[in-house]
Amino acid sequence: MGGVDEVTPVGSARGWRISLGVCAGLLVGFFCYVPAVILWQHFFEVPRPRVYPHGSFTSFGLDPPPVGYWVSWAGPAVLVTVPWRAARQFAVPFVPIAALAAWFVIGMDLFFTPD
Protein backbone atom coordinates (compact mmCIF):
# COMPACT_ATOMS: atom_id res chain seq x y z
CA MET A 1 0.00 0.00 0.00
CA GLY A 2 2.99 2.31 -0.26
CA GLY A 3 1.92 3.77 -3.63
CA VAL A 4 -1.71 4.57 -2.81
CA ASP A 5 -2.56 8.21 -2.17
CA GLU A 6 -5.13 9.21 0.41
CA VAL A 7 -8.17 10.82 -1.18
CA THR A 8 -10.45 13.21 0.67
CA PRO A 9 -14.00 11.84 0.49
CA VAL A 10 -16.56 13.99 -1.33
CA GLY A 11 -18.63 16.01 1.13
CA SER A 12 -16.13 15.70 3.96
CA ALA A 13 -15.67 18.51 6.46
CA ARG A 14 -12.07 19.00 5.31
CA GLY A 15 -13.16 19.45 1.69
CA TRP A 16 -15.73 22.06 2.67
CA ARG A 17 -13.19 23.93 4.81
CA ILE A 18 -10.77 24.08 1.91
CA SER A 19 -13.49 25.32 -0.48
CA LEU A 20 -14.72 27.93 1.98
CA GLY A 21 -11.14 29.04 2.71
CA VAL A 22 -10.38 29.54 -0.98
CA CYS A 23 -13.61 31.50 -1.54
CA ALA A 24 -13.05 33.62 1.57
CA GLY A 25 -9.45 34.35 0.55
CA LEU A 26 -10.55 35.53 -2.88
CA LEU A 27 -13.35 37.70 -1.50
CA VAL A 28 -11.32 39.24 1.32
CA GLY A 29 -8.37 39.87 -0.99
CA PHE A 30 -10.60 41.57 -3.53
CA PHE A 31 -13.00 43.55 -1.33
CA CYS A 32 -11.19 44.13 1.99
CA TYR A 33 -7.46 44.49 1.34
CA VAL A 34 -7.43 48.02 -0.15
CA PRO A 35 -9.83 49.44 2.49
CA ALA A 36 -7.67 47.83 5.20
CA VAL A 37 -4.56 49.49 3.79
CA ILE A 38 -6.31 52.86 3.52
CA LEU A 39 -7.38 52.60 7.18
CA TRP A 40 -3.83 51.56 8.14
CA GLN A 41 -2.44 54.62 6.32
CA HIS A 42 -5.00 56.91 7.96
CA PHE A 43 -4.66 55.72 11.56
CA PHE A 44 -0.86 55.41 11.49
CA GLU A 45 -0.54 58.73 9.60
CA VAL A 46 1.52 57.26 6.78
CA PRO A 47 2.96 60.06 4.63
CA ARG A 48 1.59 60.13 1.10
CA PRO A 49 4.10 59.83 -1.72
CA ARG A 50 4.37 62.56 -4.28
CA VAL A 51 3.15 61.90 -7.81
CA TYR A 52 6.01 61.11 -10.17
CA PRO A 53 5.97 62.57 -13.68
CA HIS A 54 5.33 60.57 -16.81
CA GLY A 55 8.34 58.51 -17.86
CA SER A 56 9.72 57.96 -14.35
CA PHE A 57 8.62 54.34 -14.05
CA THR A 58 12.19 53.09 -13.82
CA SER A 59 13.55 55.48 -11.20
CA PHE A 60 12.17 57.54 -8.34
CA GLY A 61 15.16 59.88 -8.46
CA LEU A 62 16.27 61.68 -5.31
CA ASP A 63 12.81 61.62 -3.69
CA PRO A 64 11.62 57.99 -3.35
CA PRO A 65 8.30 57.18 -1.65
CA PRO A 66 8.62 56.90 2.16
CA VAL A 67 9.36 53.47 3.63
CA GLY A 68 6.19 53.72 5.72
CA TYR A 69 4.15 53.80 2.53
CA TRP A 70 5.59 50.47 1.36
CA VAL A 71 5.19 48.97 4.85
CA SER A 72 1.53 50.03 4.88
CA TRP A 73 0.94 47.90 1.80
CA ALA A 74 2.90 44.88 3.02
CA GLY A 75 1.76 44.98 6.67
CA PRO A 76 -1.87 43.84 6.29
CA ALA A 77 -0.87 41.03 3.93
CA VAL A 78 1.78 39.78 6.36
CA LEU A 79 -0.66 39.99 9.28
CA VAL A 80 -3.15 37.86 7.37
CA THR A 81 -0.85 35.25 5.87
CA VAL A 82 2.06 34.61 8.24
CA PRO A 83 0.47 33.54 11.53
CA TRP A 84 -2.22 31.31 10.03
CA ARG A 85 -0.54 28.08 9.05
CA ALA A 86 -3.82 26.23 9.61
CA ALA A 87 -5.62 28.58 7.20
CA ARG A 88 -3.26 28.31 4.25
CA GLN A 89 -6.19 27.57 1.94
CA PHE A 90 -7.33 31.12 2.78
CA ALA A 91 -3.89 32.69 2.36
CA VAL A 92 -3.03 31.06 -0.98
CA PRO A 93 -5.75 32.87 -2.99
CA PHE A 94 -5.57 36.01 -0.82
CA VAL A 95 -1.95 36.83 -1.64
CA PRO A 96 -2.22 37.12 -5.46
CA ILE A 97 -5.50 39.04 -5.30
CA ALA A 98 -4.06 41.43 -2.69
CA ALA A 99 -0.88 41.84 -4.76
CA LEU A 100 -2.89 42.77 -7.86
CA ALA A 101 -4.96 45.27 -5.90
CA ALA A 102 -1.80 46.77 -4.38
CA TRP A 103 -0.09 46.98 -7.77
CA PHE A 104 -3.07 48.85 -9.23
CA VAL A 105 -3.52 51.32 -6.36
CA ILE A 106 0.21 51.98 -5.89
CA GLY A 107 0.47 52.67 -9.62
CA MET A 108 -2.41 55.12 -9.36
CA ASP A 109 -0.87 56.77 -6.27
CA LEU A 110 2.59 57.20 -7.75
CA PHE A 111 2.12 57.72 -11.47
CA PHE A 112 -1.39 58.99 -12.21
CA THR A 113 -1.51 62.68 -12.98
CA PRO A 114 -4.73 63.99 -14.46
CA ASP A 115 -4.04 66.28 -17.40
Side-chain angles (χ1 to χ4, degrees):
M1 285 186 84
V4 177
D5 292 331
E6 182 179 329
V7 176
T8 303
V10 174
S12 72
R14 182 171 183 243
W16 280 105
R17 271 195 334 254
I18 290 171
S19 298
L20 289 174
V22 168
C23 290
L26 289 170
L27 290 172
V28 169
F30 189 75
F31 290 110
C32 298
Y33 181 67
V34 172
V37 170
I38 290 169
L39 286 172
W40 175 298
Q41 290 174 345
H42 174 73
F43 286 116
F44 291 107
E45 298 177 359
V46 174
R48 303 293 302 164
R50 70 178 187 88
V51 176
Y52 294 89
H54 178 71
S56 66
F57 290 102
T58 57
S59 173
F60 293 119
L62 298 174
D63 187 23
V67 173
Y69 179 76
W70 299 112
V71 170
S72 71
W73 282 101
V78 170
L79 290 175
V80 167
T81 58
V82 170
W84 293 6
R85 183 184 176 276
R88 67 181 166 262
Q89 66 269 10
F90 171 82
V92 167
F94 172 81
V95 170
I97 295 295
L100 284 172
W103 172 74
F104 178 76
V105 176
I106 289 170
M108 296 297 285
D109 277 351
L110 297 179
F111 303 112
F112 180 70
T113 55
D115 290 333

